[in-house]
Amino acid sequence: MDYQKIVRTVCLFRAQPSAADVEKLAGLAGRLENQGFEIQTQRLCSPDVEGVFRLDAEGDGGLFLSLGRRGPQEAADLLPRVLAAKNVAFNLDLTDTPVDETHVGILFEITQRNPAKTFNFTYTFAAPASSPFFPSASYERNGFAIGLQPTNLAAGCDSVQAWLERMQAVWEEIEAFLSSEAGYLGIDTSVAPLFEGDGSFLHFLGRLGIGFERAATSDVFLRITDFLKRPGVRKTGLCGLMFPCLEDFELARAYESGGFSLERNVFLSLHSGLGIDAYPIGVDEDPGRVLEVLRLVQGLSRKYQKPLSVRFVSDGQARIGDMAAFGNPYLKDVRIRPI
C-alpha cells in the first residue's frame, strides 16, 4: 500500500464523561490501529462543564476535550477556566445572535491572556452537531464519531476521481467493522489537510497540474464537496472541504505570498461550506475589521444555509508585518498580513 490511512480524530460524545470513557476511547483507537490506521488524536466532547475540567486536570493534556457549543454569556463565564486548562476547546455560537463588539472582545482577550488558546476557540454559525473536529464540535447525544485526514489517501492517485474512490473504500472499511459498535454516530467525511507533501491538499492539486487560482474558479471544489455529502456510509458533522490556512503548510505559503487572502477564503467557503479556519491575525488588527468579517460570515451562513465558522489564531506578539512564532506543531509560522 503506497498511501497512509490516517484517522485525525476518534471522538467520544458523552453527557457526563468519566475515566471509563477515556478507556473506551483508547479501545476504539486500538481497534482502528489493528486495522492499519494511524491515529493522530483522541477527543471527547461534553456539555458537562465540571466533568470536562475534571478530566483535563487528571490528564496530561494529550486528550483533546471540548465543552462544545456555548452562547455569548456562557463563553464569557467559562473563559478564565478554559485559559487555565491544559487542553479544552469550545465554540461561540452566534447563529442567531446579533454580532457586536463584545463577541469580538472574547477573541482579543484570549489573544492577550493566553494566545495559544486561540487554537482552541472558534465562532460558529449553524454548525451541525456530532462533528469530531474541534473546536467546532458540539454535543447532541451519546456516541462516537470518526474524522479522517484523507489528503494522505491521494498519494499515487492521478485524478481527483481516483482519490474520491479511494476515500469511499476507506469509509466503507471503517463502517464495516465499527457500525455494529454501540453508539456509532458515523464518519465526518470532511477533508482535513495537515502539514505538507501528501498531507497537503494544495500539494495534491499541484501534482495534478491544477494551480490554486485555476482551481478556485473551476468546479473542482464543488465536485469534491458534493461527493463528501453523497448518501452511502453513515455520516455525521460537517462533511465539507476544509481550508485550514496554517495547518496545510502549502496553503500557508500561499497565504504569505498573497494567494490566500481572506476574500478568497470566504469565497471558497461558499464552495465547501466550512468557513475561515486557523487564519492568522496580528495583535494590532483592528477589532472593527474582525466585527465586519463575523457579520459577513453570519450573513452568508444565513443566505446560503451553510454551516460556517471563523477561527483566527495569534501568537500574542506578532503584529501585522511580523513573523509569527506560534510554538504549535500543527501551525506553520508565517509573516502576518492584514485581514
Side-chain angles (χ1 to χ4, degrees):
M1 185 172 65
D2 60 353
Y3 56 89
Q4 294 173 288
K5 298 190 299 183
I6 299 178
V7 170
R8 172 70 66 84
T9 168
V10 184
C11 183
L12 199 64
F13 295 88
R14 280 289 182 268
Q16 295 180 305
S18 67
D21 291 320
V22 178
E23 294 179 6
K24 179 175 176 61
L25 261 176
L28 289 169
R31 290 185 61 185
L32 286 160
E33 286 176 330
N34 291 337
Q35 288 292 122
F37 288 87
E38 176 185 329
I39 312 300
Q40 280 190 345
T41 65
Q42 298 176 37
R43 309 185 185 193
L44 190 150
C45 178
S46 173
D48 178 4
V49 173
E50 298 308 320
V52 166
F53 283 117
R54 182 178 63 252
L55 289 178
D56 182 74
E58 293 171 352
D60 60 4
L63 177 63
F64 287 64
L65 296 161
S66 176
L67 297 165
R69 180 188 300 134
R70 298 287 160 170
Q73 189 57 56
E74 287 180 301
D77 293 343
L78 288 168
L79 192 57
R81 297 182 71 180
V82 171
L83 295 179
K86 297 170 187 172
N87 196 356
V88 174
F90 76 102
N91 64 82
L92 173 50
D93 178 24
L94 295 177
T95 303
D96 299 313
T97 301
V99 185
D100 63 31
E101 293 82 357
T102 62
H103 308 127
V104 175
I106 290 177
L107 171 64
F108 281 86
E109 183 176 354
I110 298 172
T111 299
Q112 292 164 6
R113 293 177 57 187
N114 191 342
K117 299 296 185 180
T118 54
F119 185 71
N120 298 67
F121 168 74
T122 192
Y123 299 95
T124 54
F125 307 90
S130 303
S131 169
F133 292 105
F134 289 3
S136 294
S138 63
Y139 173 87
E140 184 178 59
R141 56 194 173 106
N142 285 353
F144 70 95
I146 307 296
L148 301 176
Q149 186 179 310
T151 40
N152 292 75
L153 297 176
C157 291
D158 59 5
S159 69
V160 170
Q161 187 59 36
W163 172 51
L164 296 179
E165 290 172 1
R166 186 176 286 170
M167 267 200 283
Q168 179 71 33
V170 171
W171 297 339
E172 291 172 356
E173 179 184 355
I174 292 173
E175 184 104 328
F177 75 92
L178 285 184
S179 61
S180 60
E181 184 83 20
Y184 175 67
L185 299 175
I187 302 167
D188 188 328
T189 59
S190 295
V191 174
L194 188 65
F195 302 142
E196 52 195 337
D198 289 338
S200 165
F201 182 56
L202 258 65
H203 172 81
F204 174 52
L205 291 178
R207 193 164 57 75
L208 296 183
I210 307 172
F212 191 32
E213 268 193 35
R214 176 184 167 194
T217 50
S218 75
D219 70 341
V220 64
F221 299 140
L222 293 176
R223 287 189 283 115
I224 292 170
T225 50
D226 285 348
F227 185 89
L228 298 177
K229 296 179 183 298
R230 185 182 301 174
V233 297
R234 196 180 314 175
K235 297 176 182 177
T236 187
L238 297 163
C239 299
L241 176 56
M242 298 180 182
F243 289 93
C245 183
L246 299 183
E247 294 181 354
D248 183 327
F249 288 3
E250 298 197 28
L251 188 59
R253 294 187 187 101
Y255 162 85
E256 275 200 302
S257 67
F260 192 52
S261 65
L262 197 69
E263 180 182 21
R264 174 168 285 182
N265 192 161
V266 171
F267 173 68
L268 292 180
S269 297
L270 301 184
H271 292 237
S272 70
L274 296 186
I276 299 164
D277 191 11
Y279 204 91
I281 186 171
V283 295
D284 57 339
E285 184 60 71
D286 177 8
R289 178 70 181 122
V290 177
L291 179 59
E292 290 175 347
V293 171
L294 291 178
R295 285 174 171 168
L296 169 65
V297 174
Q298 182 188 61
L300 291 174
S301 173
R302 290 174 176 170
K303 182 173 182 177
Y304 295 103
Q305 299 184 329
K306 284 181 174 291
L308 293 172
S309 64
V310 177
R311 178 167 59 151
F312 287 119
V313 292
S314 170
D315 70 352
Q317 296 183 19
R319 301 167 67 87
I320 295 169
D322 291 346
M323 193 73 182
F326 294 105
N328 183 328
Y330 296 108
L331 301 177
K332 182 171 176 57
D333 294 338
V334 295
R335 192 167 300 281
I336 305 295
R337 303 172 65 91
I339 65 168

